[in-house]
Amino acid sequence: MPKSVIIVGGSIAGLLHGIYLKRHGANVIILEQDPNPRRSSHNAGICFGPSVQEFLRLYNDTGIQACQPAVVTRLAYRQNLYWRDTGIVRHLTSWGVLYRILRANFDGLASDAVTIPPPARAGDGQCSYLPGQRVTSVQKTSDGVVVGYLGEDGKERCSVADLVIGADGLHSTVRGLLNAPVVKEYSGYVSWRGTVCEAKVSPETARYFQDRTVLSLLKRTYIVCYIIPPDSGSFAPGTRLINWVWYCNLSETPETNFAELLTDTNGHLHANTVPSGLVRAEIWKSHLAHMLPLIPGPFAELFTQTEQPFITKVNDALCSKATFFDGRVLLVGDALATFRPHFALATEQAARHCLGLARVWKGEISLQLWEREAVDHAIKIWLGSRVMGAGLLRGWVEFLLLAWKYVVFFARSKLGWNRV
Ligand SMILES: Cc1cc2nc3c(=O)[nH]c(=O)nc-3n(C[C@H](O)[C@H](O)[C@H](O)COP(=O)(O)OP(=O)(O)OC[C@H]3O[C@@H](n4cnc5c(N)ncnc54)[C@H](O)[C@@H]3O)c2cc1C
């Protein structure tokens, strides 16, 4: 078990690892480039898999409800709104609620969702969450690993630790500094996203989305909707949000004007996401004018009622190595692998990495085995989400090609031929 740890990135993966380590006596510093400690979600939902639920069962001392199960997954096909109901149960919440619960457990941050944070447990290590600190260098020395970072005040500082965890997301600085092998690609489609308070839509529309995940399968475009709490964590009916994600094809051709699409109301060009509230009205209006006639009633109502939709250019990334400097630097969460979001497994992957490392620190498995499992799992989900995206959005040729790659990968795994 490391005694001192620096975690780069204070989002979901960073906080999960931070909580586990401090609860087991390590002294943990989280360095987060975002200067705002009370961060808000992109107003979009996240899904809890079994590892997130297991983590919260063991380490969440707030007693706050973190998610709500959607008991049915409904499929709508073209104009048929009630095509199929499946028994798939998904546990859903918002990023903001999970972040607030994790911060309350990590460093006792009080928020609208967790007004009274839990006290530290006996044996907890010391911990601090430092916002506004952008990591710029990582170097191995005889004393450990030295991390250099630039503060909001323009001052450069450095700290040393036994272990450094890179939990810094899709565009990971740590991964770049280590020259780690990575494949990063644009998917060929964008996602529009937004939320509408369930009290703002007609009673019929509210009823249609209640307690369900709904997938609307249209021609080369599809929509996913489900109920999430606002960042304050209220699950009371009438206060919740209907969250929607609308995937639309947008191939990268010389005619595609991404600069136009990703330039916000202040003239700033974003790499991937134009955040909620900053999308230029004319971009959303022209998208709606073009697509709305194809969209069935309840979904069209959500889109027209949404005040601040936002857009993301969907990318994925896969790194084939998770451990560096003899295991003193690790990559976890989206920094190791960012998936196209069709299965909503990003948070689950982060929790899985943490519970896997817990087994390493308890001496149950080796770090090499953890790395192999993490990379194999990442490839499986990375390929699987590409297959699903291609099937629903990109057409048969791309779908069959990716499905074939997936089958080959699966067969090689069974034969034990996939090795880091
Ligand atoms: C503010 C925010 C809101 C989000 N909202 C949603 C949502 O509503 N729905 C959803 O599905 N997903 C959301 N995500 C993404 C989601 O958290 C991840 O896909 C998933 O949970 C895995 O998390 P992660 O911690 O590995 O990566 P991320 O969540 O991407 O976190 C990476 C963190 O590292 C920080 N960072 C990056 N570079 C540096 C550096 N050089 N120095 C210091 N810090 C650095 C980033 O600021 C970020 O906080 C959000 C992410 C953020 C940061």
Side-chain angles (χ1 to χ4, degrees):
M1 189 78 189
K3 287 201 167 45
S4 59
V5 183
I6 294 175
I7 298 178
V8 185
S11 176
I12 305 301
L15 285 165
L16 290 169
H17 287 79
I19 292 169
Y20 178 88
L21 285 157
K22 88 145 193 181
R23 286 275 157 77
H24 290 82
N27 297 326
V28 184
I29 298 174
I30 292 184
L31 299 170
E32 167 53 51
Q33 65 182 1
D34 186 346
N36 180 5
R38 280 164 218 286
R39 313 177 74 190
S40 61
S41 62
H42 298 320
N43 247 337
I46 55 173
C47 184
F48 278 12
S51 307
V52 187
Q53 290 175 54
E54 173 67 359
F55 183 93
L56 291 175
R57 190 182 65 74
L58 294 171
Y59 301 112
N60 174 19
D61 289 350
T62 64
I64 301 282
Q65 180 183 357
C67 66
Q68 176 164 290
V71 288
V72 170
T73 298
R74 168 169 292 163
L75 301 178
Y77 183 67
R78 305 278 164 99
Q79 298 301 319
N80 182 350
L81 292 174
Y82 300 91
W83 186 50
R84 296 265 187 290
D85 272 355
T86 74
I88 300 168
V89 177
R90 286 158 59 97
H91 291 79
L92 301 157
T93 193
S94 69
W95 184 93
V97 171
L98 181 59
Y99 171 79
R100 282 158 176 69
I101 288 175
L102 296 179
R103 279 298 300 271
N105 283 290
F106 180 67
D107 61 334
L109 181 82
S111 63
D112 44 357
V114 188
T115 45
I116 306 174
R121 290 186 192 173
D124 275 5
Q126 290 171 1
C127 59
S128 43
Y129 185 102
L130 306 181
Q133 307 296 329
R134 187 165 58 80
V135 168
T136 51
S137 67
V138 176
Q139 271 166 351
K140 191 178 165 201
T141 67
S142 51
D143 298 332
V145 184
V146 181
V147 176
Y149 49 100
L150 185 65
E152 254 202 301
D153 52 9
K155 282 200 179 131
E156 291 196 32
R157 298 179 178 83
C158 65
S159 299
V160 66
D162 298 336
L163 175 70
V164 171
I165 298 182
D168 50 350
L170 171 64
H171 303 294
S172 172
T173 304
V174 176
R175 193 179 63 208
L177 291 167
L178 297 166
N179 279 325
V182 65
V183 187
K184 219 169 165 186
E185 240 172 54
Y186 170 54
S187 61
Y189 42 91
V190 296
S191 66
W192 280 97
R193 295 196 276 183
T195 51
V196 188
C197 180
E198 57 187 346
K200 243 184 91 179
V201 297
S202 64
E204 301 77 50
T205 298
R207 220 172 300 122
Y208 182 71
F209 291 110
Q210 208 173 35
D211 303 328
R212 291 183 175 82
T213 302
V214 185
L215 258 81
S216 170
L217 309 173
L218 299 157
K219 196 170 178 195
R220 295 230 176 164
T221 177
Y222 87 100
I223 307 161
V224 187
C225 301
Y226 48 86
I227 304 277
I228 60 168
D231 283 355
S232 63
S234 167
F235 287 89
T239 64
R240 302 171 304 179
L241 306 171
I242 305 172
N243 167 61
W244 57 263
V245 189
W246 181 9
Y247 294 98
C248 301
N249 263 305
L250 193 60
S251 296
E252 202 151 30
T253 65
E255 289 80 48
T256 318
N257 194 344
F258 280 112
E260 164 86 357
L261 202 64
L262 298 175
T263 299
D264 70 17
T265 45
N266 302 318
H268 176 74
L269 175 63
H270 295 263
N272 286 101
T273 296
V274 184
S276 184
L278 293 179
V279 171
R280 283 179 299 135
E282 64 269 26
I283 300 281
W284 174 235
K285 272 194 194 139
S286 96
H287 178 70
L288 274 190
H290 179 57
M291 300 287 284
L292 212 54
L294 310 171
I295 303 300
F299 301 93
E301 186 180 344
L302 292 186
F303 299 155
T304 46
Q305 290 290 340
T306 300
E307 281 166 16
Q308 299 192 327
F310 68 101
I311 184 168
T312 299
K313 198 177 162 197
V314 178
N315 285 298
D316 60 15
L318 179 70
C319 180
S320 54
K321 208 167 149 34
T323 71
F324 305 83
F325 295 169
D326 302 323
R328 284 176 173 266
V329 179
L330 308 175
L331 288 180
V332 299
D334 279 12
L336 179 68
T338 306
F339 309 127
R340 297 182 190 180
H342 309 294
F343 297 129
L345 283 176
T347 309
E348 174 62 12
Q349 173 184 241
R352 201 185 150 97
H353 287 164
C354 180
L355 296 181
L357 282 169
R359 295 183 63 208
V360 174
W361 293 322
K362 282 186 212 151
E364 292 172 7
I365 58 170
S366 68
L367 190 61
Q368 288 69 28
L369 183 58
W370 170 80
E371 179 180 44
R372 193 186 305 158
E373 281 181 2
V375 172
D376 271 6
H377 179 261
I379 298 173
K380 200 166 81 185
I381 306 299
W382 175 79
L383 266 176
S385 26
R386 284 181 159 211
V387 175
M388 175 143 171
L392 291 169
L393 292 153
R394 305 287 301 163
W396 283 104
V397 177
E398 206 171 310
F399 171 72
L400 289 174
L401 193 73
L402 285 164
W404 171 246
K405 281 191 185 170
Y406 188 81
V407 170
V408 171
F409 170 78
F410 216 78
R412 287 176 64 94
S413 299
K414 289 276 166 226
L415 294 168
W417 290 357
N418 292 328
R419 288 289 171 264
V420 177

